[in-house]
Short mmCIF file of all heavy atoms in Angstrom, two decimals:
data_model
loop_
_atom_site.label_atom_id
_atom_site.label_comp_id
_atom_site.label_asym_id
_atom_site.label_seq_id
_atom_site.Cartn_x
_atom_site.Cartn_y
_atom_site.Cartn_z
N LEU A 25 29.94 33.81 -2.96
CA LEU A 25 31.08 33.03 -3.45
C LEU A 25 30.84 32.51 -4.86
O LEU A 25 31.75 32.47 -5.69
CB LEU A 25 31.37 31.87 -2.49
CG LEU A 25 31.86 32.28 -1.09
CD1 LEU A 25 31.95 31.06 -0.18
CD2 LEU A 25 33.20 32.99 -1.16
N THR A 26 29.59 32.11 -5.14
CA THR A 26 29.25 31.67 -6.49
C THR A 26 29.45 32.80 -7.50
O THR A 26 29.98 32.61 -8.60
CB THR A 26 27.79 31.18 -6.54
OG1 THR A 26 27.61 30.13 -5.59
CG2 THR A 26 27.44 30.66 -7.94
N ASN A 27 29.02 33.99 -7.11
CA ASN A 27 29.20 35.16 -7.96
C ASN A 27 30.69 35.39 -8.24
O ASN A 27 31.08 35.68 -9.39
CB ASN A 27 28.61 36.38 -7.26
CG ASN A 27 28.82 37.67 -8.02
OD1 ASN A 27 28.16 37.94 -9.01
ND2 ASN A 27 29.76 38.49 -7.55
N LEU A 28 31.52 35.24 -7.22
CA LEU A 28 32.96 35.45 -7.40
C LEU A 28 33.55 34.43 -8.36
O LEU A 28 34.39 34.77 -9.22
CB LEU A 28 33.66 35.38 -6.04
CG LEU A 28 35.18 35.57 -6.04
CD1 LEU A 28 35.58 36.89 -6.67
CD2 LEU A 28 35.73 35.46 -4.62
N VAL A 29 33.12 33.18 -8.25
CA VAL A 29 33.59 32.14 -9.16
C VAL A 29 33.22 32.48 -10.60
O VAL A 29 34.02 32.33 -11.54
CB VAL A 29 33.03 30.77 -8.75
CG1 VAL A 29 33.32 29.72 -9.82
CG2 VAL A 29 33.61 30.33 -7.42
N LEU A 30 31.98 32.96 -10.81
CA LEU A 30 31.54 33.33 -12.16
C LEU A 30 32.36 34.49 -12.71
O LEU A 30 32.71 34.51 -13.89
CB LEU A 30 30.05 33.69 -12.14
CG LEU A 30 29.08 32.54 -11.87
CD1 LEU A 30 27.67 33.06 -11.69
CD2 LEU A 30 29.13 31.53 -13.01
N VAL A 31 32.66 35.46 -11.84
CA VAL A 31 33.45 36.61 -12.27
C VAL A 31 34.85 36.17 -12.71
O VAL A 31 35.35 36.60 -13.75
CB VAL A 31 33.55 37.66 -11.14
CG1 VAL A 31 34.60 38.71 -11.45
CG2 VAL A 31 32.20 38.32 -10.91
N VAL A 32 35.46 35.29 -11.93
CA VAL A 32 36.79 34.78 -12.30
C VAL A 32 36.70 34.03 -13.62
O VAL A 32 37.59 34.13 -14.48
CB VAL A 32 37.33 33.88 -11.17
CG1 VAL A 32 38.63 33.19 -11.61
CG2 VAL A 32 37.59 34.70 -9.91
N GLY A 33 35.60 33.28 -13.82
CA GLY A 33 35.41 32.58 -15.09
C GLY A 33 35.31 33.53 -16.26
O GLY A 33 35.87 33.29 -17.34
N PHE A 34 34.59 34.65 -16.07
CA PHE A 34 34.49 35.66 -17.13
C PHE A 34 35.88 36.20 -17.49
O PHE A 34 36.20 36.37 -18.67
CB PHE A 34 33.60 36.82 -16.69
CG PHE A 34 32.13 36.49 -16.64
CD1 PHE A 34 31.27 37.20 -15.82
CD2 PHE A 34 31.60 35.47 -17.41
CE1 PHE A 34 29.92 36.91 -15.77
CE2 PHE A 34 30.26 35.17 -17.38
CZ PHE A 34 29.42 35.89 -16.56
N LEU A 35 36.66 36.51 -16.47
CA LEU A 35 37.99 37.06 -16.72
C LEU A 35 38.87 36.09 -17.50
O LEU A 35 39.62 36.49 -18.39
CB LEU A 35 38.67 37.43 -15.40
CG LEU A 35 38.14 38.66 -14.67
CD1 LEU A 35 38.93 38.88 -13.39
CD2 LEU A 35 38.23 39.90 -15.55
N SER A 36 38.76 34.82 -17.16
CA SER A 36 39.56 33.82 -17.89
C SER A 36 39.14 33.74 -19.35
O SER A 36 39.97 33.50 -20.24
CB SER A 36 39.43 32.46 -17.21
OG SER A 36 38.11 31.95 -17.35
N GLN A 37 37.84 33.97 -19.62
CA GLN A 37 37.36 33.93 -21.00
C GLN A 37 37.78 35.16 -21.80
O GLN A 37 37.76 35.14 -23.03
CB GLN A 37 35.83 33.82 -21.03
CG GLN A 37 35.30 32.48 -20.56
CD GLN A 37 33.79 32.42 -20.64
OE1 GLN A 37 33.20 32.66 -21.68
NE2 GLN A 37 33.15 32.12 -19.52
N MET A 38 38.14 36.25 -21.09
CA MET A 38 38.55 37.47 -21.80
C MET A 38 39.92 37.32 -22.43
O MET A 38 40.34 38.18 -23.20
CB MET A 38 38.57 38.66 -20.83
CG MET A 38 37.19 39.16 -20.46
SD MET A 38 37.25 40.55 -19.29
CE MET A 38 37.88 41.87 -20.34
N GLY A 39 40.63 36.25 -22.12
CA GLY A 39 41.91 35.99 -22.76
C GLY A 39 42.96 37.02 -22.44
O GLY A 39 43.33 37.85 -23.28
N GLY A 40 43.43 37.03 -21.18
CA GLY A 40 44.42 38.01 -20.77
C GLY A 40 43.84 39.39 -20.59
O GLY A 40 44.54 40.38 -20.71
N TYR A 41 42.55 39.44 -20.29
CA TYR A 41 41.83 40.68 -19.99
C TYR A 41 41.74 41.62 -21.19
O TYR A 41 41.49 42.81 -21.05
CB TYR A 41 42.47 41.44 -18.82
CG TYR A 41 42.91 40.58 -17.68
CD1 TYR A 41 44.24 40.59 -17.25
CD2 TYR A 41 42.02 39.75 -17.03
CE1 TYR A 41 44.65 39.80 -16.21
CE2 TYR A 41 42.43 38.94 -15.98
CZ TYR A 41 43.75 38.97 -15.57
OH TYR A 41 44.16 38.18 -14.54
N GLY A 42 41.93 41.10 -22.41
CA GLY A 42 41.95 41.98 -23.56
C GLY A 42 40.73 41.88 -24.47
O GLY A 42 40.35 42.84 -25.11
N THR A 43 40.11 40.70 -24.56
CA THR A 43 39.02 40.48 -25.50
C THR A 43 37.68 40.64 -24.79
O THR A 43 37.34 39.83 -23.93
CB THR A 43 39.11 39.07 -26.12
OG1 THR A 43 40.41 38.89 -26.67
CG2 THR A 43 38.05 38.89 -27.19
N PRO A 44 36.88 41.65 -25.14
CA PRO A 44 35.58 41.83 -24.46
C PRO A 44 34.63 40.67 -24.76
O PRO A 44 34.68 40.05 -25.83
CB PRO A 44 35.05 43.14 -25.06
CG PRO A 44 36.25 43.83 -25.63
CD PRO A 44 37.16 42.73 -26.07
N LEU A 45 33.78 40.38 -23.80
CA LEU A 45 32.71 39.40 -23.97
C LEU A 45 31.41 40.17 -24.14
O LEU A 45 31.20 41.19 -23.50
CB LEU A 45 32.60 38.49 -22.75
CG LEU A 45 33.88 37.80 -22.27
CD1 LEU A 45 33.61 37.04 -20.97
CD2 LEU A 45 34.41 36.86 -23.32
N SER A 46 30.49 39.68 -25.00
CA SER A 46 29.25 40.42 -25.20
C SER A 46 28.08 39.47 -25.43
O SER A 46 28.25 38.34 -25.88
CB SER A 46 29.38 41.39 -26.37
OG SER A 46 29.59 40.69 -27.58
N LEU A 47 26.89 39.97 -25.10
CA LEU A 47 25.64 39.24 -25.32
C LEU A 47 24.56 40.27 -25.64
O LEU A 47 24.22 41.10 -24.79
CB LEU A 47 25.25 38.44 -24.06
CG LEU A 47 23.87 37.76 -24.09
CD1 LEU A 47 23.84 36.67 -25.15
CD2 LEU A 47 23.53 37.19 -22.73
N GLN A 48 24.02 40.22 -26.85
CA GLN A 48 23.01 41.19 -27.27
C GLN A 48 21.63 40.56 -27.19
O GLN A 48 21.40 39.47 -27.72
CB GLN A 48 23.29 41.66 -28.70
CG GLN A 48 22.29 42.71 -29.20
CD GLN A 48 22.70 43.30 -30.53
OE1 GLN A 48 23.87 43.54 -30.78
NE2 GLN A 48 21.71 43.54 -31.40
#
Side-chain angles (χ1 to χ4, degrees):
L25 293 174
T26 303
N27 177 76
L28 179 57
V29 170
L30 291 172
V31 168
V32 172
F34 287 156
L35 287 180
S36 67
Q37 290 181 55
M38 286 179 71
Y41 318 123
T43 307
L45 308 175
S46 64
L47 173 66
Q48 182 172 321

